[in-house]
Amino acid sequence: MKFDKKSLEDFARGAAFLGTGGGGDPYIGRLLAQQAIAEYGAPEIIDADSLDDDALILPIAMLGAPTVLAEKAACGDDIDLALKRLSEELGRKPDALIPIEIGGINSTLPIMAAARAGLPLVNADGMGRAFPEIQMVSFNVYGCSATPLAVVDEHMNSVIVRASSAQKAESLVRAIAVSMGMSVMISCYPLSGKQVKAYAVKNTLSLATGIGQAIADGRKTGSPIEALLGFLKTTEYYRHCKVLFDGKITDLRRETTRGFSIGHCIMTELNGSGREMSVEFQNENLVARIDGTVCAIVPDLICIVDRETAEPLPTEALKYGQRVKVIGASVPPIMRTPEALNVFGPQAFGINEPFTPIEEFK
Amino acid sequence: MRIGVDVGGTNTDAVLMDGRKILASEKQPTTENVSDGIVAAIKALFTTSGVAPTLIKNVMIGTTHFTNAFVERKGLLEVGVIRIALPATKGVAPMIDWPEDIAQSIGHHCYMIEGGYQCDGSLNAPLDEKALLQAVKEIGKKGLKTVAVTGLFSSVNASMEERAKDIILNELPDISVTLSSTIGRIGLLERENASIMNASLAHMSARVVKSFSDALKRLNITAPFYISQNDGTLMSAEYVEKYPVLTFASGPTNSMRGAAYLSGLKDAIVADIGGTTTDIGMLSNGFPRESTVPVDIGGVRTNFRMPDILAIGLGGGSIIKTGDALTIGPKSVGYKLLQDSLVFGGQTLTTSDIAVAAGYADFGDKSLVKHLPAKTIADAVAEIHALITEGVDRMKLSAEPVPLVLVGGGSILVNQKIPGTSNVITPEHASVANAVGASIAQIGGEIDQVYSYDEVGRETALKTAKDLAVQAAISAGAVPDSIIVTDMEEVPLAYVPGGAVRVRVKVAGDLAMEDNS
């Protein structure tokens, strides 16, 4: 598989869906990738299973405020430097790169990074969705260290972080990001081929592209939502999927605490039943309830889309009166194990509900 | 007394206003050179009202001229594009996402230079004046007439863009300079796009403004004239020459503001029903609600202040297909309504024919729609109202029923209650609502900045932002006592500690009426 202009658009749209409201608008990420491909050629996309056990794989991502990234974009040299500094720290060059998350901006940045570095990009990521914090990654769940980790800005300032835990790394990097202007590039979780094969969520670049493609094709026939669900049902990870709600946004509350966008969105069912859905979010959508009863919960996917076009809507784009459909989908089994739920299950977000797989709700 | 003019694609409308009273209104076909149509429309106003040109104190004009020029790629200049943001932003070149044909007409004269600010307005990189001067010299050699300058976070701090302008004009005194900080918001690519669009219209704007002022001279009107922009406020002629891009989308804004004025309502849904489409928008506090998503103009993404308008394919010329299920639009006979529709002796069943057959309106020849089955008429009437109902519901701000105001030539299509609305109003002069909207436009001011609530506190931040917006409106010519806040928005920046919040405040006030007698 190779990315070109058209498949990038599909990919970015699919990544926005898997971003479940958070992760930042992938628009600018798409353009960054587009330009890097035009300049350096499209990176080779390789299967996780083709990796040698002792290969070195580096994730690359952006961390900070998506609003700032939308102004600053990335310069390219910063991404190169993050990889260079981490390689120096590790004493060897990476054999391939991998996205840390497949939702939002961080799905497209690694394409740019791989194109520039002339490295292959692994068709996999660390969650099969998007999460707000560094420790919320399958690699951390299964014991891979988040550090050493490189943080850089566009002035070529860099910091190498070594921390006792992924959680500690997260809080250190946040503080560094603020002093670097609220938008930084990071390379973290240096992984062996063996670790990637064991703990990555596989095939997610193809899946995101397929999701975006299904929506685009569905628009041509006038039923993008059906097309989207039709595609999800053919996938191994997301096949337990359904429209949870068809409604109109009647209330929105967003506030910033601890550096996250936290709030809820209330929708009223369009058929006049009077039923209400509420979706709570911390950057990403976390839990959906109908009349107070949970019907989908993190780490499963809860995505709010435009009910006509199936365009995935980031939290910051929601507004009163929008007609939306809320789609729920399962995450890969590797993201639902007890160890995984300890790191990014409902309790990790302060939600006092047990995790129930979406297919077990009536 | 003042005159409001709306230069549309098909008609040029003019209204004569005395304070809050409409003394006369006129419609004339829009002409190739614009000014002839304006002269004809205003002349007719003077004839019907008997008012002398010397009594006119202000003229306000709304026009879609610039939007159309850009969309049709007509008469655009090649632009020197200067971005002051390195080392940031290097990964996305200017115009990367533009359709190829329009990028061609603008040319690829892009220069990226070191400089710019952080999101709190502090320095990110100092301006590389040497590199800038070199770029300017090249632009001069190429013989370009216009440049667009975009600096990193210039919507938070514009000093560097202003310094760049001095350097450019010092080298090329006759070049036209567009600074992005005067045009757009946070979001560099969209702001840059808008600045480039603006720069490409530099010559045309001078021509059109001259055409307007010539028209007024020919009419012996010595009053100053203003042009309305997309947020319902006014710009001086001189300002439009510099910022033609700010008139994009002023059409729907004027019709909504006009509807608010004619109906006396501040909070309502407005449907402007034209020949092909209906523009539905939401008035809150007398101003159109703005769009929150980036707006594409002619295939180019921008972040203009645009009204949040839902366009649906229903108008007075919409074609009706009868069959298993009756469908309306989106195809329309458009300006051929007077030849193609049944009541005018044509062969095509249109919504206007239904309005006549149902007895809502009386034009053309009624006998030509007598043969229509009662079921067809009833189904079409139901479908027309269903389309409007659906559009209204999508645009509503809250579940509460609100009044619906109908304007535009196609408003005769609606004659029944619309669910979700408290009542349906078609005010007098509804067909010239655009020109009325232009005549009552105000002077606005806006601020868009990031504050740290943890450091300054929410109240101080909001007050600072409000004061800055008020200052902006006063320096643009608003009467201080009349200024009110029309819109305030707080967007928390996710993923960043420190309570960083993006605050947008808009204010508007009455134009200080100059006495020119």
Side-chain angles (χ1 to χ4, degrees):
Chain A
M1 132 181 205
K2 279 253 166 159
F3 280 111
D4 57 20
K5 203 171 160 178
K6 162 82 179 73
S7 59
L8 261 184
E9 276 179 36
D10 290 337
F11 175 65
R13 186 175 297 117
F17 176 84
L18 296 173
T20 62
D25 185 353
Y27 168 74
I28 197 124
R30 169 169 69 82
L31 295 183
L32 286 164
Q34 192 180 307
Q35 180 166 324
I37 287 173
E39 248 174 279
Y40 298 89
E44 191 191 346
I45 309 294
I46 56 173
D47 277 340
D49 292 333
S50 72
L51 295 168
D52 289 339
D53 277 3
D54 60 356
L56 173 65
I57 322 297
L58 296 184
I60 181 96
M62 166 265 163
L63 181 143
T67 322
V68 174
L69 189 92
E71 176 81 15
K72 277 191 164 182
C75 72
D77 303 336
D78 45 6
I79 293 182
D80 304 349
L81 181 69
L83 294 172
K84 182 167 168 272
R85 289 300 317 273
L86 192 55
S87 304
E88 284 166 357
E89 185 69 17
L90 297 163
R92 65 183 280 207
K93 289 205 159 103
D95 300 295
L97 302 181
I98 188 169
I100 197 88
E101 57 183 349
I102 200 70
I105 282 172
N106 281 333
S107 58
T108 41
L109 274 176
I111 299 174
M112 174 187 187
R116 295 181 64 96
L119 288 169
L121 185 63
V122 181
N123 190 349
D125 76 307
M127 53 186 89
R129 49 163 301 152
F131 273 134
E133 299 174 18
I134 288 177
Q135 75 277 9
M136 296 176 169
V137 185
S138 64
F139 308 124
N140 174 43
V141 171
Y142 300 104
C144 313
S145 173
T147 60
L149 164 165
V151 191
V152 307
D153 67 15
E154 75 274 15
H155 298 287
M156 307 296 111
N157 298 308
S158 61
V159 178
I160 294 286
V161 174
R162 284 186 178 269
S164 55
S165 70
Q167 214 120 5
K168 188 64 198 169
E170 155 71 27
S171 72
L172 288 169
V173 172
R174 284 284 148 192
I176 294 166
V178 172
S179 76
M180 283 183 168
M182 299 203 190
S183 164
V184 295
M185 296 298 154
I186 60 170
S187 185
C188 52
Y189 286 104
L191 302 162
S192 70
K194 193 174 176 180
Q195 286 172 316
V196 171
K197 282 186 275 195
Y199 310 126
V201 180
K202 289 169 193 168
N203 217 19
T204 44
L205 293 172
S206 309
L207 286 169
T209 309
I211 290 170
Q213 220 166 357
I215 294 173
D217 292 348
R219 285 178 192 175
K220 289 184 196 124
T221 59
S223 49
I225 304 243
E226 288 74 4
L228 167 63
L229 291 172
F231 176 77
L232 291 176
K233 283 180 179 144
T234 66
T235 66
E236 180 195 345
Y237 303 146
Y238 309 118
R239 64 195 165 92
H240 303 291
C241 61
K242 54 190 164 192
V243 174
L244 300 169
F245 206 73
D246 178 5
K248 186 169 105 166
I249 298 177
T250 46
D251 187 28
L252 260 180
R253 183 163 308 166
R254 303 188 190 95
E255 54 179 304
T256 302
T257 43
R258 307 193 317 277
F260 297 100
S261 182
I262 290 180
H264 69 244
C265 170
I266 309 279
M267 289 147 277
T268 308
E269 201 158 37
L270 276 177
N271 63 12
S273 68
R275 291 199 312 161
E276 278 197 344
M277 168 172 276
S278 77
V279 171
E280 267 175 55
F281 48 82
Q282 175 186 333
N283 298 346
E284 283 78 28
N285 299 323
L286 301 176
V287 56
R289 296 182 176 92
I290 295 178
D291 291 341
T293 309
V294 174
C295 59
I297 191 159
V298 70
D300 280 350
L301 303 175
I302 298 162
C303 191
I304 302 177
V305 303
D306 181 288
R307 81 184 289 268
E308 314 296 334
T309 64
E311 191 67 25
L313 300 169
T315 309
E316 54 271 25
L318 298 175
K319 51 184 189 203
Y320 182 90
Q322 259 174 334
R323 282 143 175 268
V324 297
K325 283 189 172 162
V326 183
I327 295 172
S330 51
V331 280
I334 196 174
M335 299 294 284
R336 285 173 162 190
T337 61
E339 309 91 298
L341 295 176
N342 275 339
V343 179
F344 41 67
Q347 280 70 34
F349 296 94
I351 299 168
N352 203 4
E353 300 269 0
F355 171 70
T356 310
I358 190 160
E359 58 272 27
E360 291 177 24
F361 288 108
K362 287 251 173 349
Chain B
M1 274 186 258
R2 65 191 190 284
I3 289 174
V5 181
D6 176 67
V7 185
T10 318
N11 290 310
T12 297
D13 301 342
V15 292
L16 176 65
M17 309 277 293
D18 185 5
R20 301 190 53 81
K21 262 211 319 278
I22 301 174
L23 299 181
S25 66
E26 290 292 340
K27 245 184 208 302
Q28 291 284 334
T30 296
T31 49
E32 187 64 39
N33 68 352
V34 188
S35 70
D36 289 356
I38 297 176
V39 170
I42 297 182
K43 255 206 178 115
L45 282 185
F46 289 147
T47 311
T48 34
S49 64
V51 165
T54 47
L55 292 175
I56 305 301
K57 292 279 182 283
N58 288 289
V59 179
M60 288 83 165
I61 303 173
T63 178
T64 53
H65 212 84
F66 302 116
T67 326
N68 297 344
F70 194 83
V71 171
E72 294 161 19
R73 309 354 190 178
K74 272 189 192 151
L76 306 177
L77 291 175
E78 294 203 5
V79 180
V81 178
I82 298 175
R83 184 194 289 175
I84 301 170
L86 294 186
T89 79
K90 208 166 74 181
V92 273
M95 301 200 291
I96 180 173
D97 210 24
W98 286 42
E100 195 38 46
D101 63 335
I102 193 141
Q104 289 281 359
S105 20
I106 302 288
H108 290 278
H109 314 290
C110 301
Y111 303 90
M112 293 179 50
I113 285 154
E114 294 236 341
Y117 297 102
Q118 301 266 27
C119 65
D120 60 359
S122 62
L123 192 73
N124 191 42
L127 174 62
D128 182 347
E129 299 201 357
K130 231 159 93 188
L132 175 62
L133 192 61
Q134 203 183 333
V136 176
K137 284 196 157 96
E138 267 180 58
I139 285 169
K141 272 205 205 91
K142 287 183 177 177
L144 300 178
K145 303 277 184 289
T146 181
V147 289
V149 182
T150 307
L152 186 67
F153 281 113
S154 65
S155 51
V156 180
N157 185 343
S159 327
M160 210 176 281
E161 279 189 4
E162 280 152 12
R163 170 71 190 136
K165 185 178 178 176
D166 292 344
I167 292 171
I168 294 165
L169 290 177
N170 190 36
E171 182 68 25
L172 306 169
D174 297 328
I175 204 159
S176 148
V177 182
T178 296
L179 300 183
S180 83
S181 51
T182 56
I183 284 188
R185 295 201 172 121
I186 294 179
L188 181 120
L189 275 185
E190 290 94 346
R191 199 170 68 244
E192 179 174 74
N193 287 349
S195 309
I196 297 169
M197 289 167 148
N198 190 70
S200 74
L201 293 163
H203 273 201
M204 183 184 300
S205 63
R207 257 205 324 276
V208 170
V209 169
K210 190 173 177 317
S211 173
F212 289 167
S213 74
D214 286 351
L216 300 184
K217 275 204 195 85
R218 276 158 63 193
L219 291 158
N220 295 323
I221 296 173
T222 51
F225 72 94
Y226 298 89
I227 295 178
S228 61
Q229 56 180 328
N230 48 33
D231 66 350
T233 56
L234 290 172
M235 301 187 277
S236 66
E238 189 187 347
Y239 199 78
V240 176
E241 236 177 271
K242 288 192 199 131
Y243 307 115
V245 88
L246 297 182
T247 65
F248 283 15
S250 62
T253 305
N254 281 342
S255 68
M256 290 186 63
R257 298 254 304 134
Y261 183 85
L262 294 171
S263 63
L265 297 168
K266 286 206 152 182
D267 298 286
I269 290 256
V270 174
D272 182 354
I273 309 179
T276 304
T277 56
T278 296
D279 284 342
I280 299 174
M282 191 70 215
L283 278 170
S284 94
N285 208 4
F287 279 77
R289 182 175 77 198
E290 276 195 32
S291 170
T292 52
V293 290
V295 187
D296 260 19
I297 307 246
V300 178
R301 184 166 152 138
T302 66
N303 56 359
F304 289 133
R305 294 179 279 172
M306 291 275 192
D308 187 9
I309 294 286
L310 174 73
I312 57 174
L314 170 72
S318 296
I319 298 169
I320 300 181
K321 292 245 184 304
T322 52
D324 302 342
L326 176 139
T327 61
I328 296 183
K331 284 213 167 65
S332 162
V333 295
Y335 65 93
K336 289 192 179 152
L337 183 72
L338 300 186
Q339 298 123 56
D340 291 2
S341 66
L342 300 182
V343 288
F344 292 107
Q347 301 297 315
T348 313
L349 176 60
T350 65
T351 47
S352 288
D353 298 321
I354 295 295
V356 172
Y360 293 0
D362 188 3
F363 49 77
D365 182 348
K366 251 196 303 208
S367 68
L368 295 173
V369 288
K370 270 226 297 280
H371 65 283
L372 291 176
K375 182 170 173 359
T376 302
I377 297 171
D379 286 355
V381 164
E383 180 61 13
I384 289 168
H385 288 80
L387 286 168
I388 296 280
T389 303
E390 160 85 2
V392 162
D393 196 43
R394 280 180 65 174
M395 291 304 288
K396 269 169 61 175
L397 273 168
S398 77
E400 292 297 296
V402 278
L404 168 65
V405 181
L406 299 174
V407 294
S411 47
I412 44 129
L413 298 182
V414 177
N415 198 342
Q416 300 176 0
K417 277 196 70 98
I418 298 289
T421 64
S422 52
N423 52 341
V424 180
I425 303 156
T426 308
E428 209 187 339
H429 304 292
S431 70
V432 291
N434 269 340
V436 173
S439 81
I440 55 160
Q442 291 183 296
I443 295 283
E446 181 184 10
I447 195 80
D448 178 351
Q449 279 193 8
V450 176
Y451 293 92
S452 163
Y453 281 12
D454 287 3
E455 273 175 39
V456 295
R458 180 167 181 263
E459 255 167 58
T460 312
L462 294 184
K463 188 175 177 318
T464 311
K466 223 184 291 188
D467 293 345
L468 285 168
V470 166
Q471 274 313 316
I474 291 171
S475 52
V479 178
D481 296 344
S482 68
I483 295 173
I484 53 162
V485 176
T486 55
D487 190 19
M488 184 133 75
E489 187 187 35
E490 299 164 86
V491 182
L493 300 181
Y495 306 89
V496 182
V501 177
R502 183 171 162 186
V503 178
R504 263 175 52 201
V505 180
K506 283 174 65 181
V507 301
D510 294 335
L511 176 70
M513 297 272 176
E514 289 168 43
D515 196 5
N516 296 292
S517 46

